[in-house]
Amino acid sequence: MEELKIFAPATVANLSCGFDVLGCCLDSVGDEMLIKKNDLKEVRITRITGQDLPMEADKNVASVAVKALLEQIKSDQGFDIEIDKKIKPGSGIGSSAASSAGAVFAANKLLGEPFKNKDLISFAMQGELLASGNAHADNVAPALLGGFSLVRSYCPLEVLSLPVPEELRVVILHPLIEIKTKDSRSIIKQNVSLKSAINQWGNLGALVSALYTEDYDLLGRSLHDDIVEPVRSILIPYFKELDELVTKNGALGFGISGSGPSVFALCRGDENANKVKNVISEFYSDKEIDFELHLSSINKKGVKIL
């Protein structure tokens, strides 16, 4: 193959209790990318539509991630990367991760698959390092592997795939304001109380158990964050009101998607998810903030070839 067109999915990171270690892959939101081999021994960004992003190879997360892959195998193969950017930067649903993961997935395929998808995570993380100043994997891992991903360890990197309850749905509200990941990370406290840490460990363990047992009620009770959400939620308009509204209308749980401003509600089944989506739309429609709403199942495959 000389070129490959792919769908690079959006993701929800943290899922309340899993800051920097837990994420899931969405099915209905994502970028489209076209990656072509070239004979110039260069990795180039040749076209970007949808958003205003850097064309310089050392400033774009997609090309930086591909360069990391090529350096590992000492290859001088060149690539041209075209990005139809449908995930807005700073949205909180893994915009930089989609570009990074999509680019390394396609490049790996065109090179004859020297790496397994799980091995690509570390290369995609270099794009995240460029975007946010932190090489986190909670977005790029589910984008590449699909489903739910748990980062057990960063050094050495170890990522586990978790099961997906069949009826689980995600409703995403994206208020059209931008919160940069670097800024959102800067306000997080670097020290936490033992009590808060214990609560967080308990919720994360319970959430993993709920995914394995398809215990939707336990899943909902586990979506609680004592550490990051209390600080970050002040940046998101009407966060508390939304939390109360969706919970009252049948959502399993509610939280901040990644660094925000997007928020997510987990729901059981299409009927409940559509009800939650509708009440969010009604609530936000009379606010002076433009917004986007998405309803998605969990994407079990991750990046897809189109």
Side-chain angles (χ1 to χ4, degrees):
M1 291 187 295
E2 295 298 312
E3 64 179 54
L4 197 63
K5 187 175 183 180
I6 55 98
F7 170 80
T11 47
V12 174
N14 302 337
L15 291 160
S16 297
C17 57
F19 179 72
D20 270 9
V21 299
L22 187 65
C24 69
C25 187
L26 301 179
D27 198 42
S28 63
V29 193
D31 299 336
E32 292 184 4
M33 304 176 70
L34 180 65
I35 289 81
K36 306 176 183 179
K37 289 181 179 178
N38 70 42
D39 297 324
L40 304 174
K41 299 182 180 180
E42 294 180 20
V43 179
R44 306 186 303 174
I45 305 294
T46 54
R47 185 177 67 89
I48 299 174
T49 59
Q51 300 293 324
D52 183 18
L53 294 171
M55 296 289 290
E56 300 91 339
D58 60 342
K59 296 181 181 180
N60 189 290
V61 299
S63 43
V64 165
V66 170
K67 284 183 175 182
L69 184 156
L70 293 171
E71 287 171 8
Q72 180 68 28
I73 58 173
K74 297 180 172 56
S75 171
D76 61 0
Q77 175 63 56
F79 289 100
D80 290 342
I81 301 173
E82 300 181 13
I83 306 171
D84 183 5
K85 196 68 184 165
K86 298 180 180 181
I87 310 172
K88 292 180 173 61
S91 60
I93 52 174
S95 177
S96 59
S99 293
S100 301
V104 295
F105 174 91
N108 186 56
K109 289 283 187 184
L110 293 172
L111 288 167
E113 297 188 83
F115 299 102
K116 297 178 180 179
N117 279 6
K118 187 170 285 190
D119 299 326
L120 299 175
I121 295 170
S122 60
F123 307 130
M125 287 169 63
Q126 294 307 304
E128 294 290 69
L129 178 62
L130 174 66
S132 68
N134 183 271
H136 54 96
D138 51 347
N139 288 107
V140 293
L144 284 164
L145 304 178
F148 286 83
S149 293
L150 175 69
V151 184
R152 190 206 68 81
S153 169
Y154 275 96
C155 189
L157 182 66
E158 183 178 357
V159 178
L160 307 176
S161 293
L162 305 176
V164 177
E166 287 298 326
E167 296 181 73
L168 195 61
R169 302 291 183 268
V170 190
V171 178
I172 299 285
L173 166 69
H174 175 205
L176 295 183
I177 59 174
E178 182 176 351
I179 297 177
K180 292 186 180 296
T181 303
K182 286 182 180 178
D183 298 335
S184 186
R185 293 187 78 91
S186 69
I187 64 173
I188 298 172
K189 296 177 182 178
Q190 296 302 304
N191 297 292
V192 299
S193 70
L194 181 59
K195 180 181 178 181
S196 294
I198 291 170
N199 287 341
Q200 205 84 338
W201 297 331
N203 281 316
L204 181 56
L207 190 148
V208 172
S209 175
L211 293 177
Y212 273 96
T213 59
E214 297 204 10
D215 187 332
Y216 292 92
D217 291 336
L218 177 60
L219 180 60
R221 297 199 304 276
S222 304
L223 292 173
H224 184 74
D225 179 9
D226 273 344
I227 297 173
V228 178
E229 191 173 281
V231 180
R232 282 183 166 175
S233 61
I234 62 175
L235 302 175
I236 300 170
Y238 307 104
F239 180 84
K240 289 184 178 179
E241 293 90 338
L242 284 166
D243 190 357
E244 294 173 1
L245 179 68
V246 300
T247 303
K248 186 173 70 173
N249 282 276
L252 297 170
F254 179 79
I256 302 171
S257 178
S259 59
S262 288
V263 291
F264 72 91
L266 293 189
C267 305
R268 181 174 186 175
D270 292 324
E271 184 177 345
N272 283 331
N274 278 299
K275 179 181 179 182
V276 168
K277 181 182 177 183
N278 290 337
V279 297
I280 291 175
S281 179
E282 291 173 9
F283 174 83
Y284 234 71
S285 289
D286 64 353
K287 308 295 185 284
E288 295 182 355
I289 303 170
D290 292 331
F291 66 94
E292 293 178 348
L293 264 175
H294 308 285
L295 194 164
S296 179
S297 56
I298 304 296
N299 173 351
K300 295 182 181 180
K301 292 185 178 180
V303 180
K304 301 175 184 178
I305 298 173
L306 297 176

